[in-house]
Amino acid sequence: MRVLHTSDWHLGRAFHRVSLLDAQAAFIDHLVSVVREERVDAVVVAGDVYDRAVPPLSAVELYDDALHRLADLGVPVVMISGNHDSARRLGVGAGLIGKAGIHLRTSPAACATPVVLADEHGDVAFYGLPYLEPALVKDEFKVDKPAHETVLAAAMDRVRADLSARAAGTRSVVLAHAFVTGGEPSDSERDITVGGVQSVPAGVFDGVDYVALGHLHGCQTLTERVRYSGSPLAYSFSEQHHRKSMWLIDLGPGGELGAERIDCPVPRPLARIEGQLDELLADPDLAGVTEHWVEATLTDPVRPDEPMAQLAERFPHVLSLVFAPERQPGEPQVSYAQRLKDRSDEQIAEDFVAHVRGAGPDDAEQAVLRGAFDAVRVDETLREVAR
């Protein structure tokens, strides 16, 4: 069976205030062409279909167009909700849409109810594990500790139990939306840390033939059978070196696996440039990036006048401006923004405690901080879904 694995469409997202709707529509055109030309048997979409719980109408229309075109090809689609999606909204009409071959899996309770497709070698069971927010699904999975690993492990126990009851030789594909250990993140994924931990080991998914992951935006192979497709478009300048693609998976009669990357169209390449303004405006080595989307980091010791306007004369698609002035000997080398970079909210709060009283929080206080941040994140999730 030939399976096309994609994820993290983030329909409705902009790139530094530049609309990506046309680029996302071009990706959908590409997706439909690949399905047709490569004779794909099934498409799997591993979450974050939309960029937010209440997407703009233009994003919903593009989603609707994509589903109609895939249904017209007669190719089944299995799709799960991600942490950016509203699972309840995405799942509206799932039963009716399923009759057209578009199978939405947005309910944690249905994770062990597969979509069963068949080829000449027998059945392939597709299990959809939507994004599982630990605090919201711990009762469903009867776990004592609400953590990503415990709820995913419980969900996979249900999957393996269902699979073991099926006919011998039934092959299996799991869709999941999670941060799996060994994956390389970028700046554009929303933090899903719970209790100071956001990743789960790949071993959680043992026992199935292929795991189609979503959440991380870089295409990655964690093991032969556990892969991220990544997002079809770049959503941050940290993705400038990403090769955006989908996985074309051939699942053999005995579970043998073949994998090929199918490149996605690039609306405009990304470039990060750094130096003093006059140097950037004159450097001949930058001639090749003048038509890129550009993030410029200026190292001038004094902020120049109207730097964005000056940069735009040479780089008309400059979108982001960062100031990192060169320091004189004896001056602090790290700015406040740089000190905060790549640090979680919890780590920043712990640093603040250490700053104001001279010692960091003890274990009990760390637990209180973790609980507070987890509660805020869950509350924000509930508020977003309820809007």
Side-chain angles (χ1 to χ4, degrees), residues 141-161:
F141 292 106
K142 298 178 173 58
V143 297
D144 295 328
K145 182 181 178 182
H148 289 294
E149 182 174 355
T150 56
V151 296
L152 266 174
M156 282 303 301
D157 285 344
R158 293 187 183 183
V159 167
R160 284 185 284 264

Side-chain angles (χ1 to χ4, degrees), residues 191-384:
D191 181 41
I192 58 171
T193 301
V194 174
V197 178
Q198 63 175 339
S199 64
V200 299
V204 164
F205 299 103
D206 285 351
V208 296
D209 292 307
Y210 183 67
V211 181
L213 292 175
H215 181 56
L216 299 185
H217 290 179
C219 183
Q220 303 171 59
T221 301
L222 303 187
T223 72
E224 180 191 10
R225 298 184 181 275
V226 181
R227 300 170 186 257
Y228 283 99
S229 67
S231 60
L233 298 171
Y235 294 119
S236 72
F237 278 101
S238 66
E239 301 169 56
Q240 65 170 330
H241 298 304
H242 285 189
R243 175 187 162 195
K244 295 301 184 181
S245 54
M246 302 177 283
W247 283 112
L248 188 62
I249 301 296
D250 285 311
L251 193 58
E256 306 90 347
L257 197 73
E260 176 187 353
R261 286 180 72 174
I262 304 293
D263 290 334
C264 295
V266 178
R268 191 178 296 278
L270 310 183
R272 278 175 156 170
I273 60 177
E274 181 173 353
Q276 294 195 12
L277 178 60
D278 290 343
E279 296 170 350
L280 297 181
L281 295 177
D283 188 348
D285 292 339
L286 298 180
V289 303
T290 55
E291 294 302 315
H292 289 39
W293 276 324
V294 170
E295 178 181 76
T297 299
L298 298 186
T299 61
D300 301 72
V302 177
R303 185 174 300 203
D305 291 334
E306 299 185 349
M308 200 68 164
Q310 293 189 62
L311 284 166
E313 291 183 4
R314 187 181 188 195
F315 307 100
H317 304 288
V318 60
L319 298 180
S320 176
L321 189 59
V322 179
F323 292 98
E326 295 173 346
R327 302 292 180 179
Q328 298 299 318
E331 287 187 281
Q333 294 297 308
V334 181
S335 69
Y336 179 71
Q338 289 171 317
R339 292 200 304 272
L340 296 186
K341 183 176 174 59
D342 299 325
R343 297 185 67 75
S344 67
D345 291 342
E346 184 184 335
Q347 289 171 323
I348 295 169
E350 291 175 359
D351 289 347
F352 176 76
V353 173
H355 173 72
V356 297
R357 76 176 185 191
D362 58 25
D363 291 346
E365 291 167 332
Q366 286 179 335
V368 170
L369 287 172
R370 278 197 301 271
F373 282 114
D374 289 349
V376 169
R377 194 195 66 261
V378 171
D379 182 65
E380 288 178 344
T381 300
L382 292 172
R383 287 173 181 270
E384 192 171 62

